[in-house]
Amino acid sequence: MKCPYFSINQRLGIFAIILGIIALLAKDPTKASFVRVDPNRLILESHSTSKFIEPLDLAEKLIAGNEYFTIVDLRNPNEYEKGTVPNAINLSAKDLLNGELQRNEKIILLSDDDTKSLNAWLALKSLDYRNVMILKGGYKGWVEQVLFPSIPADLAEKEKDKFEKIKQISLHFGGSPRLISGGQAIEMQTVGVQQPAMQAPKPNVASPKPSVQGKPKREGC
Amino acid sequence: MIAPFYKFGFFGEEFSLIIAFIIGIGFGFFLERAGFGSARKLASQFYFYDMTVFKVMFTAIITAMFGVFFLGVFGILDINLIYFTPTYVVPQIVGGFILGFGFIVGGYCPGTSVVSTSVGRIDGFIFLVGVFLGIFIYGEIYPLISNFATSTAMGKQTLYGFLHIPYGVAVFFVTLMAVGGFAGASRLEKVFQKKLFGGEK
């Protein structure tokens, strides 16, 4: 079809401008909602315990450093400043739902208590975030099980290996395992380690995601 | 299904590499068809008598822009999940100058050198060897320049976010810019062809 008035370039230009004008009037696609959640799946998942991760398991993953996940500390900034899990970022419940996190990210939530984390978990799940877990016991659990684990003083030979591992993990994070005998702490093990590193990690200005662990995502050109 | 498929977990990393390969072949094919396998064609851009590079690239940009915007409007693509290369202002300006310098000296940019090699041009192949040498050297000296390479970080940036204007308005102005750029480039071509070749080319 030959158009007597405009060349093909001119017609394409006009077409582009028309699309531009439509875009001017269209709604903002970044604010569109894409949530399509299956309520049955959500109910099933909310009853399962597999969404919890034990503090020691998280500690092992952090040491191994070969998994990519984002740890989100939901407590208030004051508590976060005092101490948190290594590489955790501090987000309020509001930030959490503002698209700070990506849907396919592996997310681990922690808080003072599991109820707050569970609420956040449910909110994220209902927004179709795929892989959300909760640190069992929150920051308290981390302190009790990773930083200052209680280790029985009178150990059977069989159990020694297990507790040696816990001790090593604790020391790795700058904690100090406590030896317990008959329910009483008898000694504070410090083995050349000073007070545990209780400060929050410095916010990394250079990188928008300080929580990136291990293998970086293969993306971009 | 909602795009981006990879982000929504419709396929894994291995399959995404196959998709990338297919898209790459398509990209290379159209670069070749636009004449970008030839260093003469590419370099003529810098002497303003043949603005094909500018036109093809700007066409690609606004086509992609319309695609992303309208797929988002129609609820097929979740724009918030698209990966952005983070912005590092000063290092990227320096990088741009280095790339531009290499472009004008060698006659290719990295993508077009691959295109030119695959159609059998020796200069393209030598350029490609240089590209890999450069990548190797960059990797080796990275520890020394990593502070600079990650300075002036601005994270994920968009034109509309940076200028605090609605997305649609940004799309409209980029369209005007592209159409204006096209008209301007065509005029520039005519002027410089006349100047350099006396109106015959």
Side-chain angles (χ1 to χ4, degrees):
Chain A
M1 185 186 84
K2 267 208 160 177
C3 176
Y5 303 110
F6 298 108
S7 71
I8 183 135
N9 286 351
Q10 285 167 330
R11 273 181 279 161
L12 282 172
I14 292 165
F15 181 58
I17 289 174
I18 292 170
L19 283 180
I21 292 169
I22 297 172
L24 205 55
L25 306 170
K27 63 171 185 176
D28 188 341
T30 57
K31 294 191 176 68
S33 172
F34 289 86
V35 180
R36 267 157 234 192
V37 177
D38 176 4
N40 291 325
R41 206 187 69 196
L42 197 61
I43 292 284
L44 276 177
E45 282 187 22
S46 70
H47 281 90
S48 121
T49 52
S50 62
K51 60 184 171 294
F52 288 105
I53 179 166
E54 292 291 335
L56 275 172
D57 292 340
L58 176 64
E60 279 181 40
K61 278 181 200 286
L62 279 172
I63 293 171
N66 54 6
E67 256 184 90
Y68 177 91
F69 49 78
T70 304
I71 306 171
V72 181
D73 191 339
L74 296 163
R75 298 170 307 153
N76 66 45
N78 280 339
E79 289 169 304
Y80 173 77
E81 287 295 323
K82 278 185 208 151
T84 188
V85 175
N87 294 326
I89 53 170
N90 190 213
L91 289 180
S92 67
K94 201 178 149 209
D95 294 333
L96 199 63
L97 307 180
N98 269 352
E100 287 275 333
L101 301 166
Q102 306 220 329
R103 280 186 178 79
N104 66 334
E105 260 177 284
K106 217 172 181 176
I107 299 163
I108 296 173
L109 302 169
L110 76 113
S111 182
D112 312 311
D113 60 89
D114 289 351
T115 321
K116 204 171 158 190
S117 302
L118 267 168
N119 286 341
W121 179 89
L122 198 65
L124 285 176
K125 273 290 176 181
S126 68
L127 286 170
D128 206 18
Y129 282 77
R130 302 267 149 160
N131 207 333
V132 191
M133 294 188 91
I134 295 169
L135 179 65
K136 186 127 176 120
Y139 185 59
K140 206 170 149 233
W142 176 263
V143 171
E144 282 171 5
Q145 291 183 40
V146 175
L147 292 182
F148 306 107
S150 303
I151 298 178
D154 36 2
L155 275 177
E157 202 53 39
K158 237 170 128 186
E159 286 179 306
K160 273 209 168 132
D161 280 356
K162 192 180 138 201
F163 283 104
E164 182 57 30
K165 197 172 156 197
I166 294 176
K167 192 174 139 193
Q168 289 307 324
I169 288 175
S170 171
L171 294 175
H172 178 92
F173 289 104
S176 51
R178 286 178 301 178
L179 283 182
I180 303 281
S181 176
Q184 292 245 309
I186 52 166
E187 196 187 341
M188 287 289 282
Q189 290 269 78
T190 41
V191 204
V193 179
Q194 293 136 11
Q195 275 301 298
M198 294 288 275
Q199 304 95 348
K202 263 191 197 164
N204 186 352
V205 189
S207 142
K209 284 245 180 291
S211 56
V212 172
Q213 275 292 313
K215 188 173 118 189
K217 252 184 199 172
R218 266 188 246 158
E219 268 190 299
C221 42
Chain B
M1 295 221 300
I2 314 164
F5 299 146
Y6 177 61
K7 286 284 174 82
F8 273 101
F10 290 116
F11 51 73
E13 197 169 300
E14 288 78 12
F15 194 69
S16 75
L17 291 176
I18 295 171
I19 304 266
F21 179 75
I22 295 167
I23 294 174
I25 297 281
F27 180 54
F29 176 79
F30 285 105
L31 283 181
E32 211 288 321
R33 289 292 83 202
F36 291 2
S38 156
R40 284 169 205 278
K41 183 99 177 170
L42 291 164
S44 61
Q45 165 72 32
F46 296 106
Y47 306 100
F48 302 116
Y49 64 82
D50 185 344
M51 300 289 280
T52 313
V53 177
F54 172 84
K55 289 177 185 169
V56 169
M57 287 306 167
F58 232 131
T59 308
I61 288 167
I62 68 162
T63 307
M65 178 184 73
F66 284 136
V68 168
F69 183 85
F70 286 107
L71 287 176
V73 169
F74 296 136
I76 300 168
L77 171 70
D78 190 344
I79 291 179
N80 300 314
L81 292 188
I82 296 177
Y83 174 78
F84 285 71
T85 309
T87 300
Y88 301 97
V89 184
V90 178
Q92 281 169 352
I93 289 174
V94 173
F97 272 110
I98 295 173
L99 187 126
F101 184 75
F103 196 162
I104 205 161
V105 171
Y108 294 107
C109 63
T112 52
S113 71
V114 177
V115 170
S116 145
T117 307
S118 62
V119 295
R121 284 180 209 266
I122 296 164
D123 60 339
F125 177 72
I126 290 169
F127 190 96
L128 198 58
V129 172
V131 168
F132 280 105
L133 201 66
I135 293 170
F136 177 75
I137 293 170
Y138 181 80
E140 286 300 308
I141 65 166
Y142 186 76
L144 302 175
I145 57 166
S146 64
N147 277 342
F148 173 69
T150 53
S151 61
T152 55
M154 289 173 71
K156 180 175 166 174
Q157 284 294 332
T158 56
L159 205 54
Y160 59 90
F162 185 73
L163 298 173
H164 298 290
I165 52 172
Y167 193 174
V169 176
V171 169
F172 178 69
F173 280 110
V174 171
T175 311
L176 286 190
M177 221 162 83
V179 174
F182 261 72
S186 299
R187 286 184 73 97
L188 211 62
E189 269 173 353
K190 285 202 184 99
V191 172
F192 275 86
Q193 275 168 21
K194 210 168 181 183
K195 211 168 159 186
L196 293 165
F197 308 105
E200 288 162 42
K201 199 231 161 193

